[in-house]
Amino acid sequence: MKKWVNVLTAGILVTSLWASPILAADSSHHVAKKGSSTESQPYVDMANHWATDNVAKWSNRGVVSGVANARFEPNRPITRSEWAALLNRAFQIQPGQSASFTDVDKDDWFAPTVTDAVYAGYMKGFEDGSFRPTQVLSREEAAVTINQLLQIPSSDSNKTFKDSTSLHNWSQKAVNAVVAAGIIEGYQNGTFQPQKPLTRAEAVTILDRAVNHSGAWYGESGTYGPSNGLAKQSGNVVINTTGVTLQNMEIAGDLIIGKAVGNGDVFLKNVKVHGQTYVYGGGEHSVHLNNSVLVSIIVNKVDGTVRLVAEGATSISEVKIKTGAALDVSQGASVDRVTLTNELPAKSNVSLTGYFHTVNVEAFAINVNIPNGQIDKLNVADNATGTTIDTAQESSILSLVLNAAAKVIGLGSVDKAVVNAENVSFQTKPKSMTNGDKVSSDVKVTVGDSTNTLGSQGTTSSGGGEGSSSNPNESGKSKNEDKKDNTPQTPENNSGDFKISVPKKVVAVGEAVYFTSSRDGVAYFSNHIIDIESMTSLELGVESGEVQKIEVQANKTVSFSTYAINNYEYPRNFEFNLTVYDKNNNYDSEDITVLDENQAIVENPIFTQYTASENELDQFSFDYNRLITVNEGKATNNIVQWSISDGPFLPFTEKDGEVEVKDNLIIISPKSLEDRVIYKFQIVADAVVTRNGEANKEYHTGGNRKTVRITMIKPNGGAFKVKKGEDITFSLSDVSKVYLLNSFVWGSNSDYDDLVAENWGKKIEVEDDEVNKPVTISTGDLPSGKYKLDVWYGRNFDLEIIE
């Protein structure tokens, strides 16, 4: 089908018999309807008419109206301009370039209607330069216009009418296509009557069928789409009233949020749109996008500002803004590219909140407000003269390229600015500022109250103290790297009140990871396999592109992008670390999980047994590679079963403990576990579902025991220091392997065994008859330093071997 929405929009109010439309709702996935109206017949002359139902339906939806004295006059012919007005509104045809016809005056009510229909390509004028707007429309003309609008494929089986020979050559293929599609029918006597004028009743009926053929229309407030699973909608979808929630739906074509939404709200929940998404309506309260995937959004609300709020795992490849808009992705959603098009009127206001990968400004003299969040790359095109970029203190721009005269105001930070035009000014000095190749090396830039001259090496000042010939942050970094290369450092994990706060630790690929550090410092975002306790390792990761790095200020919220992360290796590649080092090399770190929501849910999740301390109960979890929720009809305590010793799997009930489904985890917290008893856990099939309706497979673990506790005997006390060569004495609550290794060593069982074989550690195995009895492990000839006594499947103790 032709992408008729490429020329979509604003219904044109005309002074004729057709009223402004509120489009029909396809009830095939309607879950809960609010405020629906009874489709009563308001016209006295429609009683017992064959088109009664369609006329009543479209009239109650505000699409058509009657004439004087409560009459509809169903058998009166419709004119060419009236037909164009009807289709323009029903199919949201966007105003386009004007067309000139000898019989259409610019003051005629139908002038914009005619030109829009011609621009859309489904109608055209005659060879003599006329459009004949008041001429009645024939049935074959109606077939041609519908075929042009919907681009219906040719049919292999063409129906033959008794009067088929009376069809004009230019209408034969179109008539065959729309008849095969069931949009226009012949008469009971076997004729089509192609030259017969189309009546008002026939026009409404054809409209109804054309709408149903092209997709789904939602014109009544309510929730549409299944509660669980995923409904697939072929064709396009139109939402043309406020208070509509679209959920769990995959749309093959385009999605249009119509003008009739007005200043109301629309909600998309777990909706995937393969085509374009057009926003022509919605108010300052918003179009809400939750856990949805959209390729491209085009914002074009002619009257007023529309606010789009994207949250959760929502992913948007591109947003094109043609009218004033506010875009808020501060709740973790991801937008790859935003384009402020040259169609934006001068002095338009656009607000961008949250994380954006790339923002391109093409419009002349607009205001771009960044109240909070981060933009990786902001490019001002050479035709965007007069742009004002207003940055709040809580916002940051990593790379800003100014190809036109622009003002950057506010207290937000700009890491790197490239100036490619005259008459550029900054209220707050960027950390780095250089001239581009489109301007001379002595281009002048205003920073605060001072005028600065840029050179090839950076900013030099012609007055005042604002300028500097180098970037102090970069030179400081160089010194620190030199120091790290020559002097080994042993960072301390945290110190005093040093803390980083991460409100959302589980995100989808493309979402930003927001965080706040209580101290100034340097933040790293790295895969968990990189040693976060070594700044040298982290810096090498930065150089290789495997680790992200930014400088942070105390108590300022910043973010890392996950846009470029490819989760190609389950399970390891979805586990990350966010680490901040302060100026004294103290650090704090948080685990971050980044999930690829495009992957299928795994059959075999990771089973994790959490090491418990002496006074805490053990916990277990099944870690999936997708965000999950409890399936409809399931309760958390009936999705898990367990087996004790060699017994059968039984439901894990509330008396046994708690089960919680959180993010990508199923967390099991038993109320009690016996020592030295084998437990198995099983997740029942279809217990949980992903956002697109995928359910889990049945999965169970092998044997697991309660966490092995270790009780230190010698050394004792809080210091846990032992002299080199002396023995360490302890007891275990169960059989296990015990390793004495350097504190910074982590790995598999075989990795540990290899280190022991190479004399980098020690190992003993506590047998059944040694449980709860003193056992020893010798420090032997291990060098002094920090070590851990690591109990496999149990706790570990940090200690130090001293001389």
Side-chain angles (χ1 to χ4, degrees), residues 617-618 620 642 644 652 655-658 669-675 679 681 706:
L617 296 175
D618 285 16
F620 307 86
W642 70 335
I644 302 173
F652 187 87
K655 70 179 180 63
D656 300 315
E658 296 181 354
S669 304
K671 291 183 177 178
S672 64
L673 294 171
E674 297 180 31
D675 285 328
Y679 296 90
F681 292 92
K706 183 178 178 181

Side-chain angles (χ1 to χ4, degrees), residues 634-685:
K634 302 284 187 181
T636 50
N637 283 91
N638 64 21
I639 66 176
V640 173
Q641 298 178 344
W642 70 335
S643 166
I644 302 173
S645 296
D646 293 326
F649 279 105
L650 300 173
F652 187 87
T653 64
E654 290 184 8
K655 70 179 180 63
D656 300 315
E658 296 181 354
V659 175
E660 179 185 9
V661 176
K662 181 180 181 182
D663 297 320
N664 65 315
L665 305 177
I666 300 176
I667 302 169
I668 306 166
S669 304
K671 291 183 177 178
S672 64
L673 294 171
E674 297 180 31
D675 285 328
R676 312 195 68 191
V677 173
I678 299 294
Y679 296 90
K680 297 177 183 178
F681 292 92
Q682 176 170 278
I683 302 299
V684 302

Side-chain angles (χ1 to χ4, degrees), residues 361 363-368 378 380-381 384-389 404-408:
V361 181
F364 171 78
I366 65 167
N367 302 313
V368 183
L378 197 161
V380 177
T385 301
T387 296
T388 298
I389 302 170
K407 293 190 299 183
V408 182

Side-chain angles (χ1 to χ4, degrees), residues 42-55:
Y43 307 114
V44 297
D45 58 346
M46 289 302 300
N48 301 319
H49 192 279
W50 61 267
T52 294
D53 291 343
N54 284 329
V55 170

